[in-house]
Amino acid sequence: MPQAFHNPTLAQMRGLAPKPSPKLTIDEWSNLEYEAIKRGDAGSTCAICHDPFGEDEQVILSCSHTFHRGCIASFEKFLRTKERTCPICRHASYQKKITSIGSFIKRQDSCTLIQKTIRRWRVKINFKTLLRAHYKSNDDTVNVGRKRDFYAGEISIVSDQIAAQVQASEDTIDSLFAEFDRNLTMSREVFNPELAAANAATRESNDLLRTKASSKDAKNENSNGLIKIKAWINILKRAEERGACECPICLSSYEENTSTDKAILSCSHTLHIKCVDAFEKFNIYEINLCPVCRAGPYQKKLVSDLQYYRANSENMNLNAI
């Protein structure tokens, strides 16, 4: 087993071998810890297990190398030589001491990370204010182009906020007037029984028309709610009877611009497929509305596909598609 520094052998006591070095003082241990911190060993990883020191117990040797306490204990347990040597520099008959420099550096790094995060958060919150103050100053270092782009973005944000408030006000006013109309109608029906009977008959007629329309739509749609091909062919026929010759979005003629496929909506209006895709991409409403008649939500098909189905209708079962 390796000999400890404070347990001299018989030869050392008889003067036949050099005596072990005396115990290091507190100041000497402090200097060794300072060397380990300066070299960067204390804040890195253990040379035996290659894991970060973290908050685990560490041991510093008299050669200023640091290890996990459990790692150096296992290393000494399975050491085959009679003399203890440092796993890194092979310094013989070392002394060791429990230290907390690794834990101190870990806590210091954690505090630095917390401070960095808080400062980043504060700068992120005050960034617009600082940037506005920077561009407001007439300093020569201010970039004119970036200043223009910044104020353009500010104006855009304010415009969007105003538009949202106006839209909310319009919706509120519309619902208020609708409520006024309902209350006024109910008041008139109370004092005029004939008007109440006429309004009731009108409501029944509208309900009947909506029921017929929904049943008709159910016949023209499959189980997934999509319009059947046979109904699409009738929609295409109505579009051809209308004789539209130009796209209502780009206003270019279908005959002149043959590179783009033509699409047809379920309301029978035709448009370029690229135009209607771009229109849907920049749509501000919750549902897609037809650019011409505002009907929605609509479905769309390629005119070329419907023309193919119509030309081969005799060989296909269109009721099943």
Side-chain angles (χ1 to χ4, degrees):
M1 293 294 292
Q3 299 294 325
F5 71 93
H6 54 78
N7 188 19
T9 63
L10 179 62
Q12 290 174 341
M13 289 188 294
R14 295 294 182 179
L16 301 177
K19 293 183 179 181
S21 57
K23 287 185 177 182
L24 298 177
T25 62
I26 296 177
D27 293 337
E28 289 174 339
W29 280 118
S30 300
N31 293 333
L32 291 174
E33 289 178 348
Y34 175 76
E35 290 181 10
I37 294 174
K38 186 177 179 180
R39 192 169 55 243
D41 296 346
S44 58
T45 58
C46 175
I48 297 177
C49 66
H50 297 285
D51 287 338
F53 286 114
E55 295 293 331
D56 297 334
E57 284 189 329
Q58 302 119 40
V59 170
I60 185 169
L61 307 185
S62 55
C63 57
S64 76
H65 291 120
T66 54
F67 307 92
H68 283 130
R69 186 179 183 182
C71 295
I72 194 66
S74 299
F75 178 80
E76 293 174 352
K77 181 178 180 180
F78 296 100
L79 195 62
R80 296 182 179 180
T81 60
K82 294 182 179 180
E83 191 174 33
R84 295 188 305 184
T85 57
C86 173
I88 298 178
C89 65
R90 302 305 176 188
H91 178 73
S93 299
Y94 57 77
Q95 301 179 36
K96 60 182 179 179
K97 171 182 173 292
I98 296 176
T99 182
S100 59
I101 54 175
S103 302
F104 171 76
I105 293 177
K106 177 66 175 179
R107 289 192 294 270
Q108 193 175 36
D109 293 341
S110 300
C111 293
T112 304
L113 180 61
I114 293 172
Q115 290 177 354
K116 187 189 300 182
T117 304
I118 293 175
R119 288 173 181 173
R120 187 187 299 117
W121 175 73
R122 291 183 61 184
V123 170
K124 186 177 180 180
I125 291 178
N126 300 326
F127 175 71
K128 282 292 183 68
T129 304
L130 297 174
L131 200 61
R132 196 175 294 112
H134 172 67
Y135 286 131
K136 190 180 293 184
S137 64
N138 296 323
D139 194 356
D140 296 337
T141 60
V142 175
N143 188 293
V144 179
R146 292 182 179 178
K147 181 178 181 180
R148 182 177 59 251
D149 295 340
F150 172 76
Y151 281 113
E154 291 283 288
I155 294 173
S156 177
I157 293 174
V158 173
S159 300
D160 293 340
Q161 293 176 352
I162 294 174
Q165 292 179 358
V166 170
Q167 183 65 33
S169 300
E170 290 179 352
D171 294 342
T172 305
I173 293 173
D174 292 341
S175 60
L176 179 62
F177 283 145
E179 185 67 24
F180 285 162
D181 292 339
R182 286 194 295 269
N183 293 334
L184 183 61
T185 303
M186 293 174 62
S187 299
R188 289 177 176 175
E189 290 178 355
V190 169
F191 295 101
N192 192 345
E194 296 179 357
L195 179 61
N199 290 338
T202 303
R203 284 193 290 269
E204 291 178 0
S205 176
N206 292 334
D207 294 339
L208 182 60
L209 291 176
R210 280 194 294 268
T211 304
K212 290 183 179 179
S214 61
S215 62
K216 183 179 179 181
D217 292 339
K219 292 180 181 179
N220 293 331
E221 295 178 354
N222 55 22
S223 58
N224 296 327
L226 301 177
I227 300 176
K228 296 181 179 179
I229 296 298
K230 191 172 182 180
W232 273 114
I233 293 177
N234 295 330
I235 294 173
L236 178 62
K237 183 178 179 181
R238 294 204 308 270
E240 291 174 346
E241 291 175 353
R242 190 183 300 110
C245 59
E246 64 179 13
C247 175
I249 295 179
C250 66
L251 302 179
S252 61
S253 176
Y254 294 129
E255 297 179 357
E256 296 177 358
N257 189 3
T258 58
S259 60
T260 303
D261 293 333
K262 189 166 60 172
I264 184 171
L265 307 184
S266 54
C267 57
S268 76
H269 289 114
T270 56
L271 312 95
H272 286 133
I273 185 64
K274 291 184 178 180
C275 296
V276 72
D277 289 341
F279 178 80
E280 292 175 353
K281 183 178 180 181
F282 295 99
N283 183 28
I284 62 174
Y285 302 102
E286 296 181 356
I287 60 175
N288 293 324
L289 302 177
C290 174
V292 181
C293 64
R294 303 300 178 189
Y298 58 77
Q299 301 179 32
K300 61 183 177 181
K301 282 281 186 181
L302 288 176
V303 173
S304 57
D305 293 345
L306 296 179
Q307 291 174 346
Y308 170 79
Y309 285 124
R310 185 171 59 182
N312 298 275
S313 60
E314 296 180 357
N315 302 324
M316 296 182 179
N317 184 11
L318 299 182
N319 291 324
I321 303 177

